[in-house]
Amino acid sequence: MSPLALSPWAVPTQPRWNTIDNHSIPIRTQWWHDAIKSHGLPGPSPAGATLTRAEVWEPTSDVFKLLWRTLAWGSGSRLRQNARRLKSIAADIPRAENLLTEAAAASRVDPFRAYMLLRPGHRNEIKALGPSFFTKFLYFAGAGVPEHPCLILDRRVATALREHCGWTTLHPYGPWTAETYQRYCEQLRQWAGENGCAADELERILFDGKPKTEEP
């Protein structure tokens, strides 16, 4: 394991409710409404022109409601591969529901198992729902609890860890193994404890990247 160190600029200086709870993303509301309806998928589509993290993680027993909010928030104004994701889920709704329900439950206690449920080998269990997006689902399944063990891992976070925190073996584009994901979650929790913050605050700052004012 390579020695890692959190860069000073990644330590939060603002309250969590401002940078995390209120982190707002504009979404394609009408597209989600039409796409979910046209595919015959369960769960209400996201409402409103924007979604905050707090609105995404609002407690719900409907895993599809949580997934649609997660995908809408994660995609923002870009649709990315969402048409493929919805088509894949529509092909076997009960299977997807069982997978998502089990992964959401596992996310609250075991990042490794939660990740393995959705990517047990070299393929995603739900087509087009890869680590950059299903780790968002695992994160939001925690309902905003600061101690929730699962965190978002995507290209921008991985790049920041690789370039600024010494994790030279972390591939910026993934896909990452379950072992790597577990190590990532544990590492951010360790840094959070050392800096008196929540791990998702570090994830948010790493995603934003090194501030321009910090550039040499």
Side-chain angles (χ1 to χ4, degrees):
M1 295 176 65
S2 57
L4 306 182
L6 183 67
S7 293
W9 56 263
V11 177
T13 58
Q14 298 184 46
R16 183 174 181 265
W17 62 263
N18 185 40
T19 58
I20 300 300
D21 298 50
N22 292 340
H23 183 196
S24 180
I25 302 293
I27 66 170
R28 299 281 293 274
T29 311
Q30 191 61 50
W31 186 90
W32 284 101
H33 173 79
D34 295 343
I36 290 169
K37 183 178 180 180
S38 67
H39 282 87
L41 291 163
S45 61
T50 64
L51 277 174
T52 64
R53 289 199 186 203
E55 289 170 332
V56 177
W57 71 46
E58 186 177 85
T60 177
S61 59
D62 186 337
V63 292
F64 288 112
K65 181 179 181 180
L66 177 61
L67 181 64
W68 307 148
R69 291 187 307 204
T70 297
L71 294 178
W73 181 88
S75 302
S77 59
R78 300 173 60 190
L79 298 180
R80 303 178 189 267
Q81 298 189 64
N82 285 311
R84 290 183 60 206
R85 293 183 183 115
L86 268 58
K87 181 179 179 181
S88 174
I89 292 168
D92 194 337
I93 293 172
R95 176 179 179 274
E97 183 174 15
N98 289 337
L99 270 172
L100 293 167
T101 299
E102 191 173 359
S107 76
R108 302 179 187 111
V109 293
D110 189 346
F112 179 88
R113 181 169 180 271
Y115 193 101
M116 283 289 287
L117 284 166
L118 296 175
R119 189 176 171 83
H122 299 294
R123 293 184 179 180
N124 305 314
E125 281 294 290
I126 297 175
K127 290 181 180 179
L129 185 64
S132 289
F133 273 82
F134 75 62
T135 60
K136 291 176 174 64
F137 174 80
L138 297 179
Y139 164 72
F140 283 117
V145 175
E147 298 80 17
H148 182 62
C150 282
L151 299 166
I152 298 170
L153 177 58
D154 59 20
R155 175 180 60 83
R156 291 179 59 167
V157 173
T159 298
L161 288 167
R162 180 184 176 94
E163 295 182 354
H164 301 290
C165 300
W167 197 340
T168 57
T169 59
L170 183 64
H171 195 288
Y173 294 98
W176 307 281
T177 65
E179 289 87 356
T180 297
Y181 180 66
Q182 181 179 40
R183 181 190 174 193
Y184 160 72
C185 293
E186 291 173 349
Q187 183 63 68
L188 261 63
R189 287 202 303 273
Q190 177 186 322
W191 283 337
E194 293 169 353
N195 289 278
C197 62
D200 59 357
E201 294 178 83
L202 303 181
E203 170 265 308
R204 168 73 199 278
I205 297 173
L206 290 167
F207 176 85
D208 287 342
K210 189 175 184 180
K212 295 297 183 181
T213 54
E214 295 286 341
E215 296 292 349

